[in-house]
Amino acid sequence: MLNSLTAISDLRSLQLRRYARCAIALITGCMALLSIAYPQARRVDSLREILKISGLPDSQKIRNLNQLAFWLNRDSTNEALVYSNEAYLLSLKTNNQPAQIASLLNLSEGYLYNDSYEQALEYGFAALDISKNLKSDPDIANAYTNLGWIFYDTENGNFALQYHRDALALHQKLGNRSKEATSLNAIGLVFQLKNEYDSARKYFDQSLQMARAENIPGTISAAYNNIGICENARGRYKEAVSFFQKALEIDSSRNHTPLSQAETLNQLAYSLLMLKNYPEAEAMLKRSRTMIESATSNTKKEKILDNLSISSQLYQALGNYRQAFTDLQEYTSVRNQILTRSKSDAIAALKTKKETQEKETEIRELAAEKQLRSFQRNVLALCIVLIIIIGLLFYSKLRQKQKKEKELEEIKQALIRKDLDNTLLEKAALQDKLKYKDAELKNYALFISQRNEMVRSFIEDLSDLKLEGEGKKESLTRFNKMIQKFQHDLDINKDAQDFNLSVDEIHKDFFFNLLKKYPELTENERRLCAQIRLNLSIKDIASLNNISVKSAEMARYRLRKQFSLEHGDNLNEFLKQF
């Protein structure tokens, strides 16, 4: 009996861990309860009625099955497993991967409550794999949390801490404050499991602060419980009693499940035991045991475990060693049902196996990737060689084409130069010919002008003659006829007309360009432009056109005005531009 009583002190850490796990396992359910306005039983009944409806769409049926499993997992785990399995099979049939994740997490949680850790871990990893494939951060965070509780329950603190921290990081990234508070509480529990109470208290305080800010009663109650446990571990039992009473007050006001209150009562009884308030401690333990036995959840074994551990210590303090030994024996029996060292080792082995499989998969993927890269390098090298060969062939063809084009261009340029030389020669010949024609026209114009002057002078001289004698009358008549004939020929001026026709013929381009810019020019103005362009003097122009010099000057003035020439502009140079 003495050896058994000595072993009681070794049970303290396990008793603390059991309470903490059970308390945090209820947080998710507490938060869900806040979103509804009626008790859990009515919620469960409502879901069952919905599932009885025939012709319910598969997606809605899966969702309702998963919700029902979630609500039943804590109190009717086996029934919840049936609903979770049905939801999982239906989600597989419809290839609804998000629903598969929810079903797998429900199955993992159910098997965790039933202490079937290997199956819980298998379903938990399956949910994590699908979540990662879908790249769904909320589902990945939930899977991390689930795996963290599995390893926490099997006393693998390092693995539990790793997964809860990963979950916390994702909740912070997603901005989910309520789940962030839950993850902070979970990390505190892991440190509490490792007997690092200062670190645990830090996370509990953060969780409590965030839960108050977000008004999450379930998380606030759990944080108070966990802080109370830390205070117990530090030997500050009065402070611990204060925190446990706050937790009980919240749970009572919310009509929370009996198991949660039973756990708080167990820990409150331990604080009272340490304060040597044995009667009240015994009353709390009995009250807790009554609540535990009235529950139907598989998790009540763990509450019984805590109750028996504290009860054994209480009766030892009271000197009732027989009752203390009886409670200790019952405690050992229940504990063996929940977890043995071989099971704990098996869970660690499963984790190692999972990591090994992941490493092997990673190695295979790296090897395949290496082969792929090698193949890609070979293909790339082959492509480069082909591109180089094609490039060389293309370059050779291009060079040949450029060479031919260059030769053709040289021949073309030679022909162009030859044509240009011929054109220049022809142009020079035409210009020479034009100059010759212009000279002829000018001479012809001068000739006509001189002839007209001579005829006009002759007419004037004849007009001045005074005939006398017998043949005066007849001679006068003949002279008058001759004068009229000369005057008529001078007016007709056929030579001037021929001159103008020659000018029109030789200077077609000049007249075309001139009329294109000044279409309003008259025929006489055009002829005057041509005569000015031939460098004829005003006197010659007047004689050629049988007009006075003054009239010729006026015509020239009108042209300058029509061409908008300034006083210093040369009319002759202006006309040579056309």
Side-chain angles (χ1 to χ4, degrees), residues 147-401:
L147 291 170
W149 289 129
I150 294 172
F151 286 110
Y152 175 84
D153 214 39
T154 55
E155 302 180 21
N156 285 288
N158 292 332
F159 290 150
L161 188 60
Q162 170 193 334
Y163 284 115
H164 282 308
R165 278 179 168 167
D166 290 342
L168 175 63
L170 283 177
H171 290 319
Q172 289 173 337
K173 174 185 174 183
L174 296 169
N176 192 328
R177 301 275 290 174
S178 61
K179 290 193 175 182
E180 186 179 343
T182 304
S183 293
L184 287 169
N185 209 27
I187 293 172
L189 285 172
V190 177
F191 279 114
Q192 196 175 76
L193 175 67
K194 296 158 71 78
N195 295 325
E196 298 178 18
Y197 296 106
D198 290 338
S199 297
R201 179 62 190 270
K202 180 181 71 173
Y203 282 99
F204 292 146
D205 287 340
Q206 290 179 23
S207 176
L208 179 60
Q209 181 181 0
M210 191 172 295
R212 282 175 173 171
E214 298 296 319
N215 191 22
I216 312 171
T219 307
I220 295 172
S221 174
Y224 279 142
N225 279 325
N226 295 329
I227 293 172
I229 294 173
C230 284
E231 295 303 305
N232 273 341
R234 292 172 171 178
R236 301 171 61 180
Y237 303 114
K238 289 183 180 180
E239 289 81 356
V241 168
S242 174
F243 285 112
F244 290 135
Q245 286 175 343
K246 289 180 181 179
L248 282 172
E249 183 180 352
I250 293 173
D251 290 342
S252 299
S253 65
R254 297 172 54 251
N255 294 321
H256 199 29
T257 56
L259 287 179
S260 178
Q261 295 184 52
E263 285 297 335
T264 306
L265 289 170
N266 282 338
Q267 294 305 312
L268 179 57
Y270 178 79
S271 300
L272 294 170
L273 171 62
M274 294 296 102
L275 292 171
K276 298 184 179 180
N277 189 347
Y278 301 134
E280 192 171 350
E282 186 175 15
M284 293 297 168
L285 287 173
K286 287 181 178 180
R287 182 181 167 190
S288 172
R289 185 63 180 261
T290 301
M291 289 182 176
I292 294 170
E293 289 177 348
S294 66
T296 58
S297 173
N298 286 359
T299 58
K300 72 178 185 178
K301 293 180 187 177
E302 293 155 351
K303 285 71 176 175
I304 292 173
L305 205 64
D306 292 339
N307 188 275
L308 290 171
S309 174
I310 299 169
S311 179
S312 177
Q313 295 178 65
L314 173 64
Y315 287 117
Q316 181 185 4
L318 291 172
N320 189 348
Y321 298 111
R322 183 180 296 277
Q323 186 61 44
F325 182 71
T326 301
D327 290 343
L328 181 60
Q329 284 183 318
E330 187 178 355
Y331 172 88
T332 304
S333 175
V334 173
R335 186 180 186 280
N336 288 337
Q337 293 176 22
I338 296 175
L339 179 66
T340 63
R341 174 50 57 184
S342 60
K343 283 187 178 181
S344 179
D345 293 342
I347 293 299
L350 281 174
K351 168 66 176 174
T352 304
K353 181 180 178 181
K354 175 68 175 178
E355 291 179 345
T356 302
Q357 290 174 345
E358 290 177 350
K359 288 293 183 182
E360 289 176 351
T361 303
E362 185 179 351
I363 290 171
R364 285 195 296 270
E365 289 176 351
L366 289 173
E369 185 178 354
K370 184 177 180 181
Q371 291 179 353
L372 178 61
R373 287 180 178 176
S374 177
F375 175 74
Q376 289 174 339
R377 283 196 299 270
N378 293 336
V379 171
L380 181 61
L382 180 60
C383 290
I384 292 173
V385 171
L386 289 175
I387 290 171
I388 292 172
I389 293 173
I390 293 171
L392 289 173
L393 292 174
F394 178 76
Y395 179 74
S396 176
K397 290 287 185 182
L398 183 62
R399 289 289 295 172
Q400 291 178 2
K401 182 179 178 181

Side-chain angles (χ1 to χ4, degrees), residues 26-184:
L26 292 169
I27 290 175
T28 306
C30 294
M31 289 188 297
L33 276 170
L34 291 174
S35 64
I36 61 173
Y38 45 86
Q40 176 180 334
R42 291 181 59 187
R43 177 73 171 178
V44 170
D45 291 340
S46 175
L47 289 170
R48 282 178 171 149
E49 289 301 319
I50 293 173
L51 288 171
K52 290 179 182 179
I53 299 174
S54 59
L56 200 66
D58 288 341
S59 59
Q60 186 177 349
K61 186 175 182 180
I62 294 169
R63 184 169 59 254
N64 290 333
L65 285 168
N66 278 327
Q67 289 178 357
L68 187 57
F70 173 81
W71 287 107
L72 292 173
N73 244 337
R74 282 168 293 281
D75 296 323
S76 302
T77 306
N78 291 331
E79 186 180 1
L81 286 172
V82 173
Y83 288 122
S84 299
N85 190 62
E86 184 179 355
Y88 179 60
L89 293 176
L90 191 55
S91 63
L92 283 175
K93 178 182 176 182
T94 57
N95 195 28
N96 188 339
Q97 289 189 317
Q100 291 175 28
I101 295 170
S103 303
L104 288 168
L105 288 175
N106 279 334
L107 286 167
S108 180
E109 185 180 1
Y111 282 115
L112 174 61
Y113 287 142
N114 277 350
D115 302 324
S116 299
Y117 299 109
E118 294 181 13
Q119 289 174 290
L121 195 63
E122 180 180 351
Y123 286 119
F125 278 130
L128 179 61
D129 289 341
I130 298 175
S131 301
K132 286 183 175 179
N133 288 336
L134 294 180
K135 297 181 180 179
S136 172
D137 286 345
D139 290 327
I140 294 172
N142 291 335
Y144 281 152
T145 300
N146 174 264
L147 291 170
W149 289 129
I150 294 172
F151 286 110
Y152 175 84
D153 214 39
T154 55
E155 302 180 21
N156 285 288
N158 292 332
F159 290 150
L161 188 60
Q162 170 193 334
Y163 284 115
H164 282 308
R165 278 179 168 167
D166 290 342
L168 175 63
L170 283 177
H171 290 319
Q172 289 173 337
K173 174 185 174 183
L174 296 169
N176 192 328
R177 301 275 290 174
S178 61
K179 290 193 175 182
E180 186 179 343
T182 304
S183 293
L184 287 169

